[in-house]
Amino acid sequence: MFDTFYSSVRPTLASQYRGQLQVIFRQHIQPWHPSSTLMHEAGAAVLRVAPEKFWEFSAALFKQQKDFFDVSVVNETRNRTYERLAKVAGHIGVEEREVLKLLTVSDKASDNGELNTGNFVTDDIKKMVKVRY
């Protein structure tokens, strides 16, 4: 469905209805697939670093999605998966280091001793999943 939207519907909307229609794309994390959260976090990081590249990043990620399915990530660390996701962003011209900086989870407690600190897009993801339809 994404590919149809990206390659057919989106260009039509842009050329024929410029400024008249707004598409609201809601990321929907699939909690039964643990890497789904990581992939959505990568999308949130791209939105921060290069928002104009979000759709292109999403398309690249859909093409490589099997690389991030459960079986493909089960034996790697979360931060390693983030590194691979940042590389996908890098391949489409988004600053890979900036994306990775937003995604990486520290292995140290915060200054006030918190151990469950998340990353720099955690709050973005919280807002995305709490949106009411």
Side-chain angles (χ1 to χ4, degrees):
M1 182 168 20
F2 176 84
D3 191 45
T4 299
F5 175 79
Y6 183 72
S7 60
S8 300
V9 176
R10 187 173 160 265
T12 300
L13 292 175
S15 66
Q16 294 181 16
Y17 300 99
R18 177 168 286 147
Q20 297 175 329
L21 293 174
Q22 178 183 18
V23 173
I24 297 173
F25 179 75
R26 294 197 202 293
Q27 297 193 72
H28 187 77
I29 294 171
Q30 298 175 357
W32 49 91
H33 296 299
S35 62
S36 175
T37 299
L38 309 185
M39 295 171 75
H40 283 83
E41 286 176 321
V46 168
L47 276 171
R48 280 194 175 202
V49 174
E52 71 283 359
K53 293 282 194 169
F54 175 78
W55 289 108
E56 187 178 353
F57 174 73
S58 297
L61 202 51
F62 269 96
K63 286 180 182 158
Q64 296 179 30
Q65 64 182 309
K66 289 183 180 180
D67 294 341
F68 299 97
F69 282 178
D70 294 346
V71 170
S72 304
V73 301
V74 69
N75 290 317
E76 70 184 14
T77 67
R78 180 177 176 182
N79 282 338
R80 175 63 185 126
T81 302
Y82 288 146
E83 289 172 9
R84 294 193 308 116
L85 287 163
K87 283 193 183 310
V88 173
H91 289 304
I92 60 145
V94 178
E95 182 54 53
E96 184 178 329
R97 285 176 296 187
E98 293 300 312
V99 170
L100 188 57
K101 191 185 323 180
L102 292 171
L103 294 173
T104 301
V105 175
S106 177
D107 60 355
K108 298 183 182 14
S110 69
D111 292 341
N112 63 356
E114 280 189 54
L115 299 175
N116 211 14
T117 57
N119 58 31
F120 290 107
V121 295
T122 296
D123 286 339
D124 298 347
I125 293 296
K126 287 179 182 179
K127 290 173 187 157
M128 289 174 190
V129 300
K130 291 180 181 181
V131 150
R132 297 196 185 265
Y133 295 96

